[in-house]
Amino acid sequence: MWKPRRTPLLVASMLLLLASVLPVPVHARPQDQSAIRVDVNLVLLDATVKTKTGEIMANLKKDDFQLREDGVVQKLDVFSRDELPLNVALVLDLSDSIGPFLGPLRDAATTALAALKPDDEVALFTFSTEAELRVPLTKDKSKIAEQISTFHAGGATNINDGIFVAAQYLLQTPPNGRRVIILISDDVGTDAGGQGTRDIVTEAIAADTALYNLKIPGYNPASTLFAASMIPGLVNIRKVMDQTGGEIFDVKDVANLDAVFQALVQRIKTRYTLGYYTNASGAEGKPHKLDVVLAPSFGKKGKDYLILSKTGYYIR
């Protein structure tokens, strides 16, 4: 579950961004010349809202939302849509089955990432047998696409560590806006790594990040698919997406890769950001449930519309 920001927010730029949307004062306690440290109980979450037919509801207002913590309606102190900058962690599968797609993927990334705003930042991670950071968060999106063209595929498919390492990196990076992990893979894991689904969900929610999946068709013989189905501990990607508020974008044909990648980037740009100051207290690690709904005039959640957002947090 996610941890509210009792821990210090370290980035002055985040405070300036939030100052434009927060009516509640934030009390700064300067510690040194290079950082502003703030103690707040601010709970933030991003949400995507769809009609029952799957169309994005893109023109909602603050009063259209209701957010509950443990069943109690909260006063929204933060509301925005594509105002705060994005921090995107691309997590690229470099196992054998992905090799033929690296060229088209480089071209698709060039186009899709160009749609991000100048202040948005992107980091690049890769995984095969091991997961590693290739490019730290940067505003130079062209650097990401250039790196992709230099990679060679080979090795196992350790999706677990790929997602976990990216979430861990975002958690340890001073907050500077909204966060998203984009997993680019055929989702056929062959190595469960060192972290299970529960650990990955916990780390992702703690990092305030949603998992999106750009699922590309890999070249996997039947024997590989069978072997993968027998490996214990492989991450449940669907569960991570459901609990963090992400989605899957399925590329059925490599010819559609560019269009699907652009659609994914457009989706993460149009998420609503909601926030409130919690009064929750209790033992460290105690879970708190979150539920976002629209006003009664929109009908019932799950029947008349769908909201994708994280489902809870915990205190640390």
Side-chain angles (χ1 to χ4, degrees):
M1 306 293 286
W2 181 71
K3 308 172 184 178
R5 288 177 176 151
R6 291 183 185 276
T7 51
L9 303 185
L10 302 177
V11 180
S13 60
M14 182 63 171
L15 298 179
L16 294 174
L17 285 163
L18 289 177
S20 66
V21 292
L22 292 184
V24 180
V26 175
H27 302 289
R29 299 189 303 167
Q31 301 290 324
D32 55 41
Q33 296 292 326
S34 62
I36 296 177
R37 302 176 68 87
V38 181
D39 290 323
V40 296
N41 295 335
L42 177 63
V43 178
L44 289 175
L45 71 157
D46 278 3
T48 297
V49 187
K50 298 181 180 182
T51 66
K52 60 183 179 182
T53 58
E55 298 176 350
I56 297 298
M57 299 174 68
N59 297 304
L60 297 172
K61 301 177 178 61
K62 178 180 177 180
D63 292 342
D64 293 330
F65 287 88
Q66 291 183 0
L67 194 158
R68 296 184 178 92
E69 175 189 276
D70 298 332
V72 179
V73 175
Q74 303 296 312
K75 174 181 176 290
L76 288 180
D77 296 303
V78 178
F79 180 80
S80 70
R81 181 175 177 269
D82 198 27
E83 294 176 18
L84 299 178
L86 271 168
N87 293 163
V88 179
L90 290 184
V91 180
L92 176 61
D93 186 345
L94 284 184
S95 61
D96 291 319
S97 60
I98 302 302
F101 298 95
L102 289 180
L105 184 59
R106 175 203 60 213
D107 298 335
T110 300
T111 304
L113 297 180
L116 295 173
K117 295 186 296 186
D119 286 340
D120 295 338
E121 296 185 78
V122 182
L124 178 62
F125 296 80
T126 62
F127 68 92
S128 52
T129 305
E130 302 289 340
E132 60 180 304
L133 172 65
R134 298 289 190 143
V135 181
L137 282 169
T138 177
K139 295 178 182 179
D140 185 359
K141 287 80 171 178
S142 62
K143 181 183 296 185
I144 303 298
E146 291 169 1
Q147 281 287 313
I148 292 175
S149 66
T150 68
F151 296 146
H152 299 284
T157 312
N158 186 354
I159 299 177
N160 294 42
D161 287 354
I163 302 172
F164 184 86
V165 167
Q168 187 177 56
Y169 172 79
L170 292 176
L171 177 60
Q172 295 171 353
T173 302
N176 188 32
R178 300 178 297 136
R179 296 171 167 188
V180 174
I181 295 173
I182 300 177
L183 170 67
I184 304 174
S185 174
D186 61 6
D187 297 356
V188 181
T190 60
D191 185 339
Q195 309 294 335
T197 298
R198 182 176 180 180
D199 297 323
I200 293 168
V201 169
T202 298
E203 200 74 4
I205 296 181
D208 282 350
T209 188
L211 176 67
Y212 279 74
N213 183 193
L214 183 67
K215 184 178 179 182
I216 58 180
Y219 291 111
N220 294 290
S223 58
T224 299
L225 296 174
F226 176 76
S229 69
M230 302 299 291
I231 297 174
L234 288 177
V235 61
N236 185 331
I237 297 172
R238 172 60 66 181
K239 184 174 183 178
V240 180
M241 289 190 295
D242 288 345
Q243 295 197 27
T244 61
E247 296 179 77
I248 185 169
F249 284 70
D250 199 348
V251 181
K252 299 294 187 181
D253 189 312
V254 69
N256 299 325
L257 176 58
D258 188 79
V260 177
F261 202 161
Q262 290 185 60
L264 189 159
V265 169
Q266 186 62 29
R267 181 66 51 82
I268 65 177
K269 290 178 61 181
T270 56
R271 288 164 63 87
Y272 296 94
T273 300
L274 312 174
Y276 67 97
Y277 288 92
T278 180
N279 293 316
S281 61
E284 187 171 311
K286 178 183 177 180
H288 294 277
K289 183 179 180 180
L290 296 175
D291 185 33
V292 183
V293 299
L294 296 182
S297 59
F298 288 92
K300 293 186 177 181
K301 179 179 176 180
K303 177 182 177 182
D304 301 300
Y305 63 87
L306 177 67
I307 296 182
L308 304 175
S309 66
K310 65 187 176 187
T311 57
Y313 72 89
Y314 63 89
I315 294 173
R316 67 173 178 183

